[in-house]
Amino acid sequence: MGDVDTAPDATSRAREADAPRNSSVARFGVDRPLKLDAGVELTPFQIAYKTYGTLNAERSNAVLICHALTGDHHVASPNPVTGKSGWWETMIGPGKPIDTERYFIICPNVLGGCMGSTGPASTNPGTGAPWGLEFPVITIRDMVRAQAMLLDELKIDTLFAVAGGSMGGMQVLQWAASFPKRVFSALPIACATRHSAQNIAFHEVGRQAVMADPEWRHGRYFAEGTSPRRGLAVARMGAHITYLSDAALHRKFGRKFQDRENPTFSFDADFEVESYLRHQGSSFVERFDANSYLYLTRAMDYFDLAADCGGVIANAFRGAETRFCVVSFTSDWLFPTPESRAIVHALNASGARVSFAEIVTDKGHDAFLLEEPELFAIVRGFLDGAAKARGLKNGK
Amino acid sequence: MLSRLKRDLTMAEAARAPGGARVDLLLVADMVAPGSKVLDIGAGDGELLRILGEQRGVDGRGIELSREGVNECVAKGLAVIQGDADTDLADYPDDAFDYVILSQTLQATHRPRVVLEHMLRIGRNAVVSFPNFGHWKIRLQLAFGGHMPRTDNLPYSWWDSPNIHFCTIKDFVVLCDVTGAKMDRAVAFNAWGTPLRFNAPWWFWNLFGEQAVFLLSRRG
C-alpha cells in the first residue's frame, strides 16, 4: 500500500463534504427537518446533486439515478475528486440508453455520503466539528425521504423513472414503496428487497477492519489529525472481491505474478490479483470517508422492505401503477438472481407491471457498471416503452 | 365470427408472409376483448404481445422460459419475465387477469392439467392453442409409416422434442371437462391457416384441423 501516504489530507475530504466541487447543493434549514427512522430529526442538512439534460415544460421527463454504496452524484461527468469519468457514462449521455437529450437526469449524493450531502464527514452545526459518530444512524428510507425533499425543491412531482444498481437499486425499490404515485417507472438492478445474512456479514468484516485501525480513534480522526486509511483499504479490498466473481478474477489475473517471474518467498504482492486489490484499497481511501462507509453499510444492512409491511413484500407494492424492470446478472453472488426473482414474485402478486431479465455475464455484481450491451438494450427498450406510455416525445 | 376471422387473415397475409404460427397468433388475438388485461404464458419473442398491444390495446404481461426470448421481449418494451409455466403460475394471485393465454405451449408442459387449472384461477378466461395430434397426416405417419410423426409444424425427432404431452382436439375437450372449463369458442384450422367450417362435427375437426384454438372460462 505504498501510495496510501500520498492521499489528500483529511481536511480536504471534510471540505468536499461541506462544499462539494462541480455540484449543485440544496440546503434545508431548520424549518424543514428530515425525520429519520432512528427517531430523531436531522436539521439543517444539505443534498448535493448533479443534473444533466433539460426538464421539459410538463416537468414529466425527470429520471432519478440512485448511486451505489461507494458511488456519488458525478454519474455522467468527471469526478472532481478523482478526475475520472462519471461512473455510469456508458449508460447516461446523449444518445445513450438513459438519453440526456430526451430525459432530465438528477443524481443526488446519498444522505450519509461524503461528497456533499450531509453525512458523518460534514460539519455538525451544533459543534462546528465534523459529525463523526454523533451523526445519527440512517436508513435507505431516510435517503429516499431526503431525495423526495430535493424533488420538492426542484418542483418535480412525478419522476418518469428511478434507476440504480445495488444500494441504488434498494433506493429504487424504496421509492416505489414509499412514493408509488411519484414513480412512473422503476429500474432496480442487481439488488434485493432485503440485505442477506451473508451480505451483513461481509459488511461487518469491513466495519471491523475500519474500527480496528488505531487511527480511527472512535470516529474522531478528523479532530485528532489521523486517518484510518489502512482499515478502510482492507474493508474495500474485501468488499471488492464480493463485487467480482471467481470466473472474472481468474480471467483477469489467473495465477499470474506481478512484475516478476518467480515467487519471492515473502509477503510482498507476488500475484497480480494481490497488487490489484492493494491498488483498489489505496485509491478508495483517497476519495472516501471511513465513517461514511460505516454509516452507508449499516443503512444497507437495515434494509428489509418486507419487515416494514408485515413480512409480506407484496404489500409494499400493493396497488402499484409503477412499471418495473428488474435486472440481475448470472455471476452476481452478492445479489444473486433468486433475490431479484423474489422482487418479481412480489410485484406479480401485487399485480404490478413488471419485466425481468437475467443477463449472462462472468463480471459479477459490478456488471451493472460495466460494458454490457444486453443491459443497455434492455434499459433502452424498457424506457422507450415507458416513454410511449407516458407520452414523452422522441428526442429533443 | 368466421367472416371477421377471414378478414383478419387476409390483412395478415397482406402485412407479412403467411405462416402457420402467425395465423395462429391472429386467431388467438381475435379471442381477446380489446383493452383487457392479459398474461401470455410462453411469450417467445413477444410477437403475440406486440399484436395484442397494437391491435387490441391490451395491457399485456408475459412469461417466457428462454432467457434469450425474455431479454428480446424486455428490450422491445414488453412486460415479460423469465419463468416456467409448470412452476411459476402458482405465484400469481386469483383473478389477476382477464385472459391467460397459452399459445403453442400446452404440449411442452409437464402437467397440462395443473397448468390449465392455474390459468382459469389466475384469469377469468383462458385461451389455449395447440397442434392437433389427431390430424390425418399425423395418423397416417404413425399408422402406415410406423414412426413418430414429423410435420412442418412439428419438425422435431422424438428424442430431442420439447413436446412431451401431445393431445388431439378430442383429448383436449376431455381435459376441459375434467378441469371444469367451459368452452366458449373454438376454432380449428388447416395447414394454410384457413378455419374449418364452423358447423363441422368434432370428428371432422379432429381429423382435418392441424391446429386448434379454444377460448375457455370458469364453469359457474
Side-chain angles (χ1 to χ4, degrees):
Chain A
M1 273 177 259
D3 55 344
V4 170
D5 296 331
T6 62
D9 60 320
T11 48
S12 79
R13 242 192 336 267
R15 271 202 304 276
E16 194 69 31
D18 285 335
R21 285 166 281 173
N22 297 348
S23 307
S24 307
V25 179
R27 294 189 170 79
F28 300 89
V30 288
D31 53 323
R32 284 185 293 174
L34 179 63
K35 291 188 180 68
L36 300 177
D37 280 344
V40 295
E41 287 188 347
L42 181 65
T43 185
F45 74 100
Q46 67 181 43
I47 296 294
Y49 63 99
K50 290 288 289 185
T51 68
Y52 308 87
T54 314
L55 187 63
N56 63 12
E58 298 81 30
R59 311 184 88 78
S60 62
N61 67 335
V63 175
L64 182 77
I65 305 295
C66 301
H67 69 72
L69 171 62
T70 63
D72 51 50
H73 50 297
H74 301 285
V75 61
S77 51
N79 188 308
V81 175
T82 63
K84 289 183 183 161
S85 42
W87 58 268
W88 226 5
E89 281 195 22
T90 48
M91 183 69 88
I92 300 169
K96 302 271 173 67
I98 304 179
D99 192 347
T100 48
E101 292 181 342
R102 190 174 196 189
Y103 310 121
F104 177 61
I105 285 101
I106 309 158
C107 185
N109 184 215
V110 287
L111 183 74
C114 52
M115 290 287 284
S117 292
T118 302
S122 310
T123 303
N124 177 352
T127 63
W131 276 97
L133 291 197
E134 281 168 38
F135 192 72
V137 169
I138 50 150
T139 64
I140 299 289
R141 194 157 56 178
D142 294 331
M143 294 173 186
V144 167
R145 276 192 198 111
Q147 289 163 1
M149 289 172 76
L150 171 65
L151 291 188
D152 293 342
E153 182 81 3
L154 298 175
K155 299 192 168 49
I156 292 168
D157 183 46
T158 308
L159 289 162
F160 165 64
V162 187
S166 196
M167 187 181 88
M170 290 177 168
Q171 293 164 65
V172 172
L173 293 173
Q174 188 66 62
W175 258 102
S178 294
F179 304 101
K181 297 259 183 289
R182 298 187 77 170
V183 181
F184 187 76
S185 63
L187 255 161
I189 302 169
C191 65
T193 58
R194 60 176 178 39
H195 220 210
S196 68
Q198 177 173 269
N199 289 357
I200 295 170
F202 279 127
H203 275 173
E204 175 58 3
V205 171
R207 284 189 294 265
Q208 287 300 329
V210 170
M211 294 189 279
D213 189 325
E215 301 222 334
W216 179 62
R217 310 280 166 96
H218 288 274
R220 292 177 40 79
Y221 46 87
F222 287 118
E224 306 211 0
T226 59
S227 179
R229 289 177 193 145
R230 286 174 194 283
L232 184 59
V234 170
R236 175 62 169 182
M237 289 167 76
H240 196 76
I241 300 168
T242 68
Y243 303 150
L244 304 174
S245 71
D246 185 25
L249 281 173
H250 188 77
R251 175 167 50 78
K252 266 170 115 166
F253 307 108
R255 292 181 49 81
K256 284 195 290 276
F257 288 123
Q258 177 73 25
D259 304 329
R260 66 203 68 182
E261 277 161 22
N262 297 299
T264 60
F265 295 98
S266 73
F267 296 105
D268 199 7
D270 274 359
F271 291 99
E272 261 187 19
V273 66
E274 293 174 288
S275 169
Y276 169 78
L277 276 184
R278 289 184 187 193
H279 172 72
Q280 287 296 328
S282 61
S283 57
F284 180 61
V285 301
E286 290 175 28
R287 67 176 177 90
F288 216 83
D289 175 58
N291 285 337
S292 207
Y293 193 80
L294 303 183
Y295 278 86
L296 296 184
T297 53
R298 204 60 178 150
M300 289 178 79
D301 293 351
Y302 281 156
F303 186 63
D304 184 355
L305 214 45
D308 302 336
C309 312
V312 183
I313 320 170
N315 289 345
F317 305 112
R318 190 153 297 283
E321 284 172 26
T322 306
R323 304 158 73 99
F324 290 85
C325 179
V326 180
V327 181
S328 72
F329 301 96
T330 49
S331 54
D332 184 349
W333 56 285
L334 203 56
F335 292 96
T337 291
E339 300 275 10
S340 286
R341 220 175 263 288
I343 301 172
V344 172
H345 284 168
L347 288 169
N348 270 331
S350 57
R353 184 188 161 93
V354 54
S355 307
F356 166 55
E358 183 189 30
I359 291 168
V360 182
T361 174
D362 74 351
K363 292 174 190 156
H365 181 61
D366 265 357
F368 78 94
L369 297 166
L370 303 172
E371 188 67 32
E372 285 290 347
E374 207 169 3
L375 173 67
F376 300 153
I378 283 165
V379 170
R380 188 189 293 275
F382 172 71
L383 290 180
D384 277 351
K388 221 173 176 180
R390 182 85 171 132
L392 291 187
K393 284 187 212 76
N394 225 331
K396 249 185 175 172
Chain B
M1 179 192 83
L2 274 185
S3 62
R4 195 166 82 240
L5 273 182
K6 278 203 173 117
R7 204 163 53 240
D8 282 354
L9 294 176
T10 319
M11 280 163 56
E13 278 157 12
R16 66 187 80 195
R22 296 221 190 285
V23 173
D24 166 63
L25 296 184
L26 287 170
L27 285 163
V28 169
D30 187 71
M31 297 207 176
V32 174
S36 50
K37 197 172 171 185
V38 172
L39 176 67
D40 181 14
I41 303 167
D45 62 1
E47 184 63 8
L48 177 61
L49 282 173
R50 190 189 62 78
I51 292 170
L52 285 168
E54 286 176 7
Q55 299 189 3
R56 313 203 60 91
V58 309
D59 176 9
R61 317 282 168 84
I63 305 178
E64 166 58 30
L65 189 59
S66 85
R67 193 151 39 204
E68 297 76 19
V70 174
N71 294 8
E72 201 181 330
C73 287
V74 178
K76 286 177 184 168
L78 300 168
V80 173
I81 65 171
Q82 203 269 333
D84 187 338
D86 276 308
T87 53
D88 295 346
L89 294 182
D91 297 323
Y92 285 82
D94 298 355
D95 297 311
F97 293 92
D98 298 315
Y99 296 86
V100 180
I101 298 174
L102 190 67
S103 169
Q104 300 292 328
T105 307
L106 180 74
Q107 74 282 359
T109 63
H110 282 273
R111 293 184 299 165
R113 176 180 174 168
V114 176
V115 169
L116 187 62
E117 282 169 349
H118 272 308
M119 289 174 71
L120 285 165
R121 175 185 65 77
I122 299 166
R124 287 191 295 110
N125 301 283
V127 181
V128 183
S129 78
F130 58 92
N132 173 28
F133 216 64
H135 188 256
W136 62 268
K137 273 192 206 162
I138 285 174
R139 296 193 199 191
L140 277 186
Q141 285 193 36
L142 190 58
F144 297 106
H147 58 80
M148 283 301 281
R150 281 200 303 270
T151 65
D152 292 345
N153 214 24
L154 303 167
Y156 301 101
S157 300
W158 69 269
W159 56 80
D160 62 6
S161 174
N163 301 320
I164 51 176
H165 274 127
F166 278 120
C167 69
T168 68
I169 290 175
K170 200 171 165 184
D171 291 332
F172 186 75
V173 171
V174 175
L175 177 64
C176 292
D177 283 343
V178 169
T179 54
K182 187 164 148 283
M183 288 183 286
D184 294 327
R185 275 169 76 180
V187 179
F189 50 97
N190 63 24
W192 297 278
T194 312
L196 302 178
R197 279 193 303 120
F198 187 59
N199 56 356
W202 280 113
W203 69 264
F204 185 84
W205 279 30
N206 205 25
L207 195 56
F208 295 104
E210 192 161 58
Q211 297 192 53
V213 185
F214 281 74
L215 172 64
L216 311 171
S217 62
R218 251 174 268 162
R219 188 164 284 162

